[in-house]
Amino acid sequence: MSGVVGWRARLLSDTPASGREAALGRLYRGWLQFKANRLALVGLVIVLGLVVVALLAPWLVTHDPYRQNLAQRLLPPGAMGHLLGTDEFGRDILSRVIIGARVTLYIVALVALIAAPIGLIVGTAAGYLGGAVDAVLMRLTDVFLAFPSLILALAFVAALGPGIENAVIAIALTSWPPYARIARAETLTVRKSDFIAAAQIQGAGTARILFRHVMPLCISSLTVRVTLDMAGIILTAAGLGFLGLGAQPPMAEWGAMVSAGRRYILDQWWVATIPGLAIFVVSLAFNLLGDGLRDVLDPRQAR
Amino acid sequence: MSGDGSVTVRDLSVRFGRGSQAVHAVRGVSFSVAPGESFGLVGESGSGKSTVLRVLAGLNQDWQGTATISGLDVASGDRRLPRIAQMVFQDPYASLHPRHTVDRTLAEPLAIHGIGDASRRVEQALMAVGLGPGFRFRYPNQLSGGQRQRVAIARALMLEPSVLLLDEPTSALDVSVQAEILNLLHRLRRERGLTMLLVSHNLAVIAHMCDRLAVMNRGAIVEEMAVAALRRGEPREAYTRQLLLASLGYDRAVAASMVSYD
Amino acid sequence: MTPLLEIEDLRVSFPTPTGPFDAVRGVSFSLGRERLGIVGESGSGKSLTGRSILRLLPANAALSARRLTFDGTDLLSAPTRTLRALRGSRIGLVLQDPKYSLNPVMRVGEQIAEAARIHGGVSAAEARRRALAMLEAVRIRDPERVFGLYPHEVSGGMGQRIMIAMMLVPEPDLLIADEPTSALDVTVQMQVLAILDDLVARRGMGLIFISHDLDLVSSFCDRVLVMYAGRVVEERNARDLAGATHPYTRGLLQSLPRIDDERAELPTLSRDPAWRDG
């Protein structure tokens, strides 16, 4: 018990003993603030649940998600040991939804890892350097921003060929411009500040100022925005899957599953509804999480 | 310690904007500060005093005239300049990076110039400005205004410069904290033989800190004088006399006699 | 004659995770038609005291007082409508930063003219005339031009003077000025203070002048309250501030650099925990 009190006191202490402890203390204070928001906590639990399910998927599935059994096709939930029923090929829907979590997480993580850094670098460079660099980079951003993202993604996939990797690349290429805009706006508010001037007087080069002084200040609002966008990314990926341009059969991807199930929607509602529910719950969770993060990381934007 | 620490400014002119919208912020300012001397630039808002300081700090690239620090041309952007002259800003709430701990703020100039032994130097610098090691890993939002300004001064001293450029270093602080910071600057100057160039609107602060001062109005130097002459109440120019009178507190008769020098 | 303003045992507190924080702790004073200075450092509660009079406090602040009356009106129990009628017409408030007090999408001259009309049935032409006269009175050159500017087009110092003009044009009975001249150059500061001075002397306005500048307050006001940690620790005639007896006041006075002295070291304040209660 005293151990718990001990580390809490250390995290909240005003005199941290090392840089790591200071950073941890800062995180802990953020967590205390985040924790107070019930809905955000629900979002976090669901997102963490998704990660756990994706990691443990091979051990969680009750049936082989790819094994067809035409004798048991379109079984309702609960029938013959299939908790959530079976699809038109007699595959277990629960197992496919569980495996599908991997695909969803893979898409989301890859898009975030590609789009956010591109947006961050383009936006901070444009905002800090200004002038011609700003004009060129931001017009380029505008060009990407001007296309409806799903249409642009469709075009990319059409050019590159359908498949999950190409869907990811297409979504990433269409989702970085808003991040660039946010990073630029943040950069413009700090580039004339005294602490940047101080770094200049110390002789810091442009790259150093960008990476060590400007970017850390853009990351929090970017994190919030990326989290809020996750829902949109999942929906776009599902949309591509639904249109047959994302994950290809027999891969268990939620959007493709909804697409395949829509033919039976009136008589066997569960085939399309259950993967649809999964999409809905995970998108909602990312939105709730993003709202909670915004309150902690970006107080200016909070309600 | 680098350079002798002299500062020379000749015919400095700064314009902001272009064409008819251009503002002539500094018009032909000249002065020089001897090594180890403390020189004050006093004036009202818009007098151009801070602009002069920013030119010397290398923050303003668009100017005419000559400006040298320790014989190095400021316009050259010489890599040695950061190790000769450093600056302390007015608002300690804006001059420290909000996401950097004190330790990181102080170690940054060392990292830029490839100076080792950061840990010991950071602790020494904190000690020199009267902050204990307990402050080392705090974020700025865990510090008071006075403590922040001490950190900002420590940061300016990390490269062991010989010239300190001070832009209204105490005007954002409470009276009792101002006294502490002024005492600190006094002690540092004595111990390290620093040359100081102090910009302020407060004549009393200038009189307390400086040996000589120049009074600026509308971008030009009105007069240059020794602080001793100011103390004796012997300014030559009417503008300086008015500034001096206004600094002594409210007086109905003085207020009625105020003239505009625009 | 009854005082214009009477305050007894004023308290303001804010909830914090570790229990309520008492920012103002039992302030009492009364104000006649005089210039009352309130001095103190940041966090002393001087600004909150001034804002309490108009009940302009942050939403989470808890305000209480045994007595808070303005010219016979109980401000504590007064309905919002009464308060709103008082604000701006009979009680003016000038803040340090004009940014928050001027309407950004309305020409400054119109804002002053509107304030003049609130005061009492003057015509639009008369309101405009008064607004221009008041702009001139706060030493704005070319008032006609400034009349038509928007708040973002004026400098900080000019915005401050416009703000003062707006508050003075309805000729209030009480003006609460919170660091009204801190953003102004000393020479302009003198001139603005002279306007306030005249209004007190000529019209019998009551003035509460909140400032951190001891020298200014002692030379401008009639009476001074010194606040520390939410309490008034000392009250003196302004001319007599140099004879202050409380160690906090004395410490503050001594820590000020002065043009005519040659001390190398300024005495610094060592805060005595007992000051919080004494």
Side-chain angles (χ1 to χ4, degrees):
Chain A
M1 190 61 212
S2 73
V4 174
V5 175
W7 69 251
R8 267 193 65 133
R10 260 180 79 183
L11 283 177
L12 292 175
S13 136
D14 263 342
T15 52
S18 69
R20 174 174 307 188
E21 213 166 279
L24 282 176
R26 194 188 178 88
L27 247 127
Y28 184 62
R29 269 183 285 268
W31 165 246
L32 289 183
Q33 204 184 334
F34 180 85
K35 209 171 68 163
N37 184 341
R38 286 281 171 79
L39 279 175
L41 217 52
V42 170
L44 179 69
V45 167
I46 296 175
V47 169
L48 285 180
L50 175 76
V51 173
V52 170
V53 166
L55 285 177
L56 302 179
W59 296 276
L60 286 177
V61 293
T62 51
H63 296 75
D64 180 344
Y66 297 111
R67 221 197 71 210
Q68 301 187 2
N69 183 350
L70 293 177
Q72 295 186 355
R73 62 192 294 263
L74 300 172
L75 287 178
M80 300 185 75
H82 296 288
L83 217 51
L84 295 176
T86 58
D87 66 5
E88 74 275 26
F89 295 111
R91 296 173 296 197
D92 182 54
I93 291 179
L94 175 65
S95 302
R96 285 180 67 77
V97 167
I98 290 175
I99 286 290
R102 288 196 147 187
V103 181
T104 301
L105 200 67
Y106 172 78
I107 293 173
V108 158
L110 220 56
V111 168
L113 283 178
I114 299 173
I118 295 179
L120 184 62
I121 289 170
V122 169
T124 49
Y128 184 72
L129 298 172
V133 178
D134 185 26
V136 169
L137 286 179
M138 289 330 280
R139 291 304 78 74
L140 188 71
T141 309
D142 287 343
V143 168
F144 275 89
L145 214 47
F147 284 99
S149 63
L150 188 62
I151 306 284
L152 194 59
L154 278 175
F156 274 117
V157 173
L160 299 170
I164 196 92
E165 283 78 16
N166 290 343
V168 165
I169 292 171
I171 297 171
L173 283 176
T174 55
S175 55
W176 66 266
Y179 305 146
R181 293 226 148 243
I182 291 171
R184 177 172 176 269
E186 290 280 323
T187 306
L188 288 181
T189 62
V190 300
R191 76 170 207 189
K192 292 283 177 209
S193 65
D194 286 348
F195 58 84
I196 298 295
Q200 289 168 344
I201 297 175
Q202 285 161 5
T206 303
R208 188 178 185 94
I209 290 177
L210 272 181
F211 281 97
R212 294 183 60 105
H213 296 259
V214 176
M215 283 186 193
L217 291 170
C218 303
I219 281 177
S220 48
S221 53
L222 221 56
T223 308
V224 171
R225 181 61 196 256
V226 169
T227 313
L228 287 171
D229 279 359
M230 290 292 185
I233 293 168
I234 292 172
L235 289 177
T236 309
L240 286 175
F242 183 88
L243 294 171
L245 296 169
Q248 294 302 300
M251 185 182 259
E253 196 269 334
W254 295 345
M257 286 165 71
V258 173
S259 171
R262 83 197 134 118
R263 269 178 288 158
Y264 315 99
I265 191 83
L266 289 178
D267 300 314
Q268 287 86 22
W269 55 268
W270 59 89
V271 181
T273 307
I274 286 163
L277 264 177
I279 296 173
F280 167 73
V281 168
V282 172
S283 312
L284 183 68
F286 272 113
N287 260 330
L288 294 176
L289 176 65
D291 264 347
L293 281 178
R294 177 174 54 197
D295 292 351
V296 176
L297 294 175
D298 205 358
R300 274 171 304 155
Q301 298 286 316
R303 290 147 291 176
Chain B
M1 183 82 62
S2 354
D4 65 344
S6 64
V7 177
T8 321
V9 173
R10 284 279 160 269
D11 297 321
L12 178 68
S13 274
V14 183
R15 271 195 189 85
F16 293 126
R18 292 212 186 92
S20 60
Q21 293 287 303
V23 180
H24 210 157
V26 177
R27 331 164 169 241
V29 162
S30 304
F31 62 88
S32 55
V33 186
E37 191 184 20
S38 175
F39 187 78
L41 276 178
V42 70
E44 302 196 298
S45 54
S47 63
K49 57 188 192 304
S50 289
T51 308
V52 172
L53 207 65
R54 292 179 77 85
V55 165
L56 286 170
L59 291 175
N60 189 331
Q61 260 97 41
D62 201 10
W63 49 273
Q64 286 88 46
T66 50
T68 59
I69 298 177
S70 281
L72 292 176
D73 184 0
V74 173
S76 70
D78 194 302
R79 289 289 294 165
R80 285 171 291 176
L81 277 168
R83 304 184 68 158
I84 299 174
Q86 279 295 323
M87 180 160 164
V88 176
F89 297 84
Q90 171 177 4
D91 182 0
Y93 289 86
S95 72
L96 298 182
H97 196 292
R99 293 287 162 89
H100 289 178
T101 58
V102 171
D103 180 65
R104 179 144 178 220
T105 295
L106 297 186
E108 181 74 359
L110 301 176
I112 292 169
H113 291 270
I115 300 168
D117 203 8
S119 191
R120 192 184 54 81
R121 285 172 192 267
V122 166
E123 272 183 15
Q124 275 183 351
L126 280 175
M127 204 88 89
V129 295
L131 294 176
F135 289 90
R136 188 167 162 194
F137 295 103
R138 290 198 197 180
Y139 286 98
N141 64 8
Q142 296 169 303
L143 302 173
S144 70
Q147 289 164 348
R148 286 175 194 225
Q149 198 61 309
R150 284 173 191 268
V151 172
I153 292 170
R155 171 178 63 189
L157 295 175
M158 290 312 292
L159 296 174
E160 302 183 350
S162 44
V163 179
L164 221 44
L165 307 168
L166 304 158
D167 187 6
E168 305 261 15
T170 60
S171 61
L173 304 174
D174 272 326
V175 172
S176 59
V177 182
Q178 163 171 286
E180 292 171 13
I181 297 295
L182 292 180
N183 285 344
L184 170 66
L185 289 171
H186 230 285
R187 177 168 61 77
L188 290 170
R189 182 185 162 210
R190 203 176 54 232
E191 287 171 2
R192 305 181 178 219
L194 292 169
T195 308
M196 283 189 178
L197 187 52
L198 173 67
V199 158
S200 179
H201 69 283
N202 187 331
L203 267 179
V205 167
I206 296 269
H208 179 75
M209 291 294 297
C210 301
D211 311 317
R212 276 189 314 131
L213 74 152
V215 182
M216 287 187 71
N217 183 36
R218 304 264 296 156
I221 288 184
V222 176
E223 80 172 295
E224 215 181 294
M225 64 198 296
V227 162
L230 180 75
R231 286 217 180 91
R232 291 193 300 270
E234 293 174 353
R236 290 188 307 276
E237 299 294 324
Y239 178 80
T240 316
R241 270 200 296 281
Q242 174 166 314
L243 201 61
L244 184 59
L245 275 176
S247 304
L248 296 175
Y250 176 74
D251 184 307
R252 187 69 189 80
V254 171
S257 71
M258 290 285 164
V259 192
S260 172
Y261 284 88
D262 286 357
Chain C
M1 196 179 108
T2 56
L4 192 59
L5 179 74
E6 281 180 280
I7 296 180
E8 231 176 90
D9 198 24
L10 177 77
R11 290 170 185 276
V12 179
S13 70
F14 292 92
T16 71
T18 52
F21 170 72
D22 300 315
V24 178
R25 306 179 296 142
V27 166
S28 306
F29 64 89
S30 66
L31 177 83
R33 310 213 171 256
E34 59 176 331
R35 296 163 297 188
L36 174 72
I38 303 183
V39 291
E41 297 190 290
S42 47
S44 62
K46 58 184 194 301
S47 293
L48 284 172
T49 301
R51 287 166 154 268
S52 300
I53 298 165
L54 284 167
R55 297 216 342 238
L56 286 172
L57 292 173
N60 61 346
L63 169 72
S64 75
R66 258 208 306 280
R67 192 179 166 84
L68 182 59
T69 57
F70 167 73
D71 204 12
T73 310
D74 181 4
L75 296 173
L76 267 184
S77 61
T80 321
R81 257 188 42 218
T82 315
L83 280 176
R84 212 177 288 146
L86 284 176
R87 286 177 198 153
S89 65
R90 295 201 60 203
I91 308 180
L93 175 68
V94 177
L95 298 173
Q96 179 172 9
D97 196 338
K99 265 206 300 285
Y100 303 109
S101 311
L102 294 171
N103 182 344
V105 295
M106 197 170 160
R107 293 179 198 279
V108 295
E110 281 159 16
Q111 297 188 47
I112 303 172
E114 192 176 271
R117 295 181 73 176
I118 287 170
H119 180 52
V122 295
S123 67
E126 171 64 12
R128 185 186 158 87
R129 197 193 58 73
R130 285 194 193 176
L132 286 172
M134 192 47 84
L135 280 175
E136 205 163 357
V138 292
R139 304 292 192 278
I140 283 178
R141 274 169 287 136
D142 200 358
E144 292 275 356
R145 185 183 69 84
V146 173
F147 190 94
L149 297 179
Y150 286 96
H152 71 268
E153 295 175 303
V154 302
S155 68
M158 197 187 273
Q160 190 64 18
R161 280 181 275 173
I162 288 165
M163 169 88 195
I164 291 169
M166 193 167 91
M167 286 300 157
L168 291 182
V169 77
E171 310 204 323
D173 296 305
L174 169 62
L175 185 71
I176 302 163
D178 189 354
E179 305 270 8
T181 58
S182 303
L184 302 178
D185 289 328
V186 276
T187 50
V188 178
Q189 170 175 298
M190 285 297 110
Q191 296 169 340
V192 170
L193 290 180
I195 301 165
L196 296 179
D197 197 0
D198 290 348
L199 279 169
V200 174
R202 191 161 47 77
R203 290 198 44 254
M205 180 178 80
L207 174 68
I208 296 180
F209 189 87
I210 300 165
S211 174
H212 69 284
D213 190 333
L214 283 100
D215 281 350
L216 191 67
V217 167
S218 73
S219 60
F220 177 66
C221 294
D222 302 308
R223 205 150 55 91
V224 180
L225 304 178
V226 181
M227 284 189 70
Y228 179 77
R231 294 166 57 94
V232 174
V233 293
E234 184 157 20
E235 181 187 339
R236 294 197 81 81
N237 277 330
R239 305 282 153 188
D240 187 28
L241 192 63
T245 51
H246 195 279
Y248 176 65
T249 319
R250 297 190 61 79
L252 279 188
L253 284 168
Q254 280 160 5
S255 65
L256 273 175
R258 292 180 196 286
I259 293 174
D260 53 7
D261 86 334
E262 299 187 40
R263 294 174 295 180
E265 190 95 344
L266 295 166
T268 55
L269 207 58
S270 47
R271 288 154 206 274
D272 186 338
W275 295 351
R276 282 184 60 82
D277 306 308

